[in-house]
Amino acid sequence: MGFLTTHVLDTAHGRPAAGVRIDLYRIDDGRHHLCSATTNNDGRCDEPLLPENEFRAGEYELVFHAGDYFTACGETLPEPKFLDQVVIRFGIADESQHYHVPLLVSPFGYSTYRGS
C-alpha cells in the first residue's frame, strides 16, 4: 500500500518552513476534511498525511496556510495577502505508490510537483 507525504520549503528565506498548518481533504460528492497537520523544523509532517490503512485512489486537496506562516515569520504583507492559502488539488491513481507533494513557497509565488 502507498501513503501521502508533503514537505514545505520557504524559498523567500532559503529554509524549511516550520509551523505551516496543512489541511487535507478528499474530494468526492463534496469536500471532506480528513486531517490537519503542522510542519516540523524540517518543513515535514511527523507522520504521513494519509497512512497506508487510509490510502486510496481518488481526488484530494491540500491547503497550506502560507499567509499565517509568513505573518508569524515577521513578514510585512499587504492586506489582503497575495497568497494566503495555497490550495493544491491532485489525484491518486495508484494505491501501491508513495505520493509526495512538496510545496516551495514565498509570499508572492509557489511551485509544486510530484516528488519521491
Side-chain angles (χ1 to χ4, degrees), residues 15-93:
R15 64 184 180 213
V20 177
R21 180 177 160 208
I22 303 166
D23 293 311
L24 174 65
Y25 297 87
R26 181 170 171 82
I27 310 300
D28 59 358
D29 296 327
R31 188 175 183 238
H32 306 282
H33 184 260
L34 298 178
C35 71
S36 295
T38 302
T39 57
N40 61 24
N41 287 337
D42 194 35
R44 300 175 187 273
C45 298
D46 291 329
E47 303 287 330
L49 292 170
L50 270 180
E52 291 180 15
N53 62 333
E54 298 175 26
F55 193 79
R56 61 182 186 169
E59 190 173 9
Y60 293 86
E61 190 174 273
L62 284 168
V63 179
F64 298 86
H65 296 263
D68 291 343
Y69 164 78
F70 284 111
T71 297
C73 288
E75 289 290 324
T76 302
L77 302 173
E79 282 299 330
K81 297 171 183 79
F82 181 71
L83 290 178
D84 190 14
Q85 295 181 358
V86 175
V87 178
I88 301 171
R89 189 172 282 194
F90 62 98
I92 292 175

Side-chain angles (χ1 to χ4, degrees), residues 3-15:
F3 55 98
L4 173 66
T5 58
T6 190
H7 187 194
V8 184
L9 298 172
D10 175 344
T11 58
H13 298 105
R15 64 184 180 213

